[in-house]
Amino acid sequence: MEILQKALDWKHTQKIITSVIILNAIVLGILTDRSLTAEQIFLLEAVDKACLVIFVIELVAKLLVYRKNFWSDAWNIFDFVVVASSIIFISSSVSIIRAFRIFRLLKALAEFPELQILVSAMLKAIPSMSWALVLLFIIFYIFAVFGSALYGENFPELFGGVGGSMFTLFQVMTFESWATAVARPIMEVQPYAWIYFLVFILLTSITLLNVMVGIVVEAVGTISEAAKKKQAAKDAVKAQSEGYEADEVEKKIRKHFEQIEELLKARKA
């Protein structure tokens, strides 16, 4: 058990697991190629199973060492579900279960603090962005109803109903051929249609999307600052600990010198 504990605590263990996760992800990606030969598929599946064996060994080691504490970490539960599912369906034709293991790439974030900050910022921004998305949906719905009423009769393929209108408006918002495929054909029939599209673009692409970007940027700045403070606190504690250790070493050295001086005095006497 001590050996397993040391192996899990070894500073390079997580790097090795991360490398295996990335290798497994690459293999799973290559296996999606339909043009692979039988020999290539056999080799890739062998590598995939070897990666699975490593994941199982890691999981069993953690279960033996951490026991009940294993279930207190969400990442451990996620790993258990993914690896256990892969073992259960290892001989099955259900390829989606094997593909589900690609989500273990998220665990590689632990090795990259910068990615951790970005993901944490996105998660933190979700509550604020959700209200922005609600507002965006309302604007989409309003303009979809108006668009269907204004242009549905002449352009049923673009504004034939609320659903189709919202899809057309999404194309307009993303600027994907919105002028040539949507706006200009309508303007040939109804010249003032440009007002409708420009107002919609100003409200969505220029205003609301920039608001969302601002929310994420603010969250990134907040979390980055918090991470810097946390790292500074760790460095301070480490420096204090190193200073304490240096003081202890100095005390021991002085004590040895005093003992040597006492021995010399005793010999002279």
Side-chain angles (χ1 to χ4, degrees):
M1 203 63 69
E2 291 181 1
I3 295 173
L4 287 177
Q5 179 72 53
K6 290 180 179 179
L8 290 174
D9 293 339
W10 187 40
K11 62 181 181 179
H12 296 299
T13 298
Q14 189 55 48
K15 293 180 180 179
I16 294 172
I17 296 299
T18 300
S19 300
V20 176
I21 291 172
I22 294 173
L23 173 63
N24 190 215
I26 293 172
V27 170
L28 291 175
I30 297 174
L31 281 170
T32 60
D33 188 355
R34 305 296 181 185
S35 63
L36 293 173
T37 63
E39 292 79 8
Q40 291 172 332
I41 293 174
F42 177 80
L43 177 61
L44 291 170
E45 287 185 345
V47 175
D48 177 62
K49 289 178 181 178
C51 293
L52 180 59
V53 169
I54 295 173
F55 295 151
V56 171
I57 293 172
E58 179 204 11
L59 187 66
V60 171
K62 285 185 175 180
L63 284 168
L64 291 173
V65 172
Y66 300 137
R67 298 184 182 182
K68 291 182 179 179
N69 294 329
F70 175 88
W71 306 103
S72 61
D73 189 343
W75 277 118
N76 289 339
I77 297 173
F78 174 77
D79 288 343
F80 180 84
V81 172
V82 173
V83 175
S85 301
S86 300
I87 295 172
I88 293 171
F89 294 97
I90 191 171
S91 59
S92 171
S93 60
V94 185
S95 60
I96 188 64
I97 300 298
R98 181 170 63 183
F100 185 68
R101 216 184 310 153
I102 198 71
F103 285 104
R104 287 206 80 196
L105 263 178
L106 295 173
K107 192 174 180 181
L109 295 175
E111 288 297 308
F112 306 99
E114 293 79 7
L115 285 177
Q116 281 185 325
I117 290 174
L118 288 176
V119 173
S120 300
M122 291 180 66
L123 293 175
K124 185 179 179 181
I126 285 175
S128 299
M129 287 183 65
S130 60
W131 290 110
L133 288 172
V134 169
L135 180 57
L136 183 64
F137 176 80
I138 292 172
I139 293 174
F140 258 80
Y141 185 76
I142 292 172
F143 275 81
V145 172
F146 266 100
S148 298
L150 293 171
Y151 314 120
E153 184 177 351
N154 295 324
F155 300 92
E157 70 281 2
L158 296 175
F159 290 95
V162 173
S165 297
M166 292 183 75
F167 183 80
T168 300
L169 290 173
F170 182 80
Q171 179 182 350
V172 173
M173 185 186 70
T174 57
F175 300 117
E176 178 59 33
S177 303
W178 74 276
T180 56
V182 181
R184 292 193 182 279
I186 294 176
M187 287 171 62
E188 290 177 0
V189 179
Q190 300 187 30
Y192 294 101
W194 62 269
I195 299 174
Y196 171 87
F197 291 107
L198 286 184
V199 172
F200 176 77
I201 290 172
L202 286 171
L203 289 174
T204 57
S205 301
I206 296 178
T207 304
L208 275 177
L209 291 184
N210 283 329
V211 168
M212 293 182 186
V213 172
I215 291 170
V216 175
V217 170
E218 183 181 0
V220 169
T222 302
I223 292 176
S224 179
E225 188 65 27
K228 288 179 181 178
K229 290 181 179 179
K230 187 177 180 180
Q231 186 61 41
K234 285 183 179 180
D235 293 340
V237 171
K238 184 178 180 181
Q240 186 177 1
S241 175
E242 290 176 353
Y244 176 77
E245 291 177 359
D247 291 340
E248 289 295 316
V249 171
E250 186 179 352
K251 287 179 182 179
K252 289 180 181 179
I253 292 172
R254 287 181 179 178
K255 188 175 181 180
H256 285 308
F257 275 124
E258 290 174 357
Q259 290 176 351
I260 292 170
E261 288 178 358
E262 289 177 358
L263 288 173
L264 292 173
K265 290 178 180 178
R267 284 185 180 181
K268 288 179 180 178

